[in-house]
Amino acid sequence: MKRWIAGILALFNLANGLVMLSAGSTWWSLVPGAADTGPFNPHLVQDVGIAFIAAGLGLAARALWPAWWPAAVAGAAFLAGHGALHLVMIAAGHDRHAASDLVAVVLPAALALYSALPNQGDRHA
């Protein structure tokens, strides 16, 4: 089950990162809350897009090769940090899109952490 979750999250994160790299201004205008943070910054969006691609690749490695779970842990670390930041913003009342952030940022981050951790037989190549 963890491998399936990792695979689904890998596809989502890879797609998100590729859109951020190739159509950043469209991504900026479509993602709830992005435009609330200030004017569009193409360099920032592309940098973060690369982080989403790295996370997606780590999760994909976990989905394809169970013993590569440490790659997924690295990718999930970015997603968990991103999710934690959004939780802090929600708790502080600085997030006008709390519901969508919980579903689109926090939940996938928690699932990524869960899916990245090894099962009993995944620890060895």
Side-chain angles (χ1 to χ4, degrees):
M1 178 65 122
K2 288 182 176 185
R3 292 177 62 197
W4 279 100
I5 293 170
I8 292 166
L9 291 171
L11 293 173
F12 172 79
N13 283 287
L14 288 167
N16 187 49
L18 289 171
V19 170
M20 291 174 83
L21 285 176
S22 64
S25 62
T26 301
W27 179 93
W28 189 262
S29 66
L30 293 176
V31 171
D36 296 344
T37 64
F40 172 62
N41 180 332
H43 183 90
L44 175 65
V45 171
Q46 291 172 336
D47 280 351
V48 176
I50 291 168
F52 276 107
I53 290 171
L57 289 172
L59 290 164
R62 165 73 167 129
L64 295 170
W65 306 287
W68 289 28
W69 63 267
V73 171
F78 162 71
L79 297 173
H82 182 224
L85 175 62
H86 280 261
L87 278 177
V88 168
M89 291 170 56
I90 291 168
H94 299 296
D95 191 328
R96 297 186 325 197
H97 305 278
S100 64
D101 279 1
L102 287 170
V103 171
V105 179
V106 177
L107 178 61
L111 288 171
L113 283 174
Y114 167 76
S115 72
L117 296 176
N119 295 318
Q120 193 83 12
D122 294 343
R123 295 191 183 268
H124 303 289

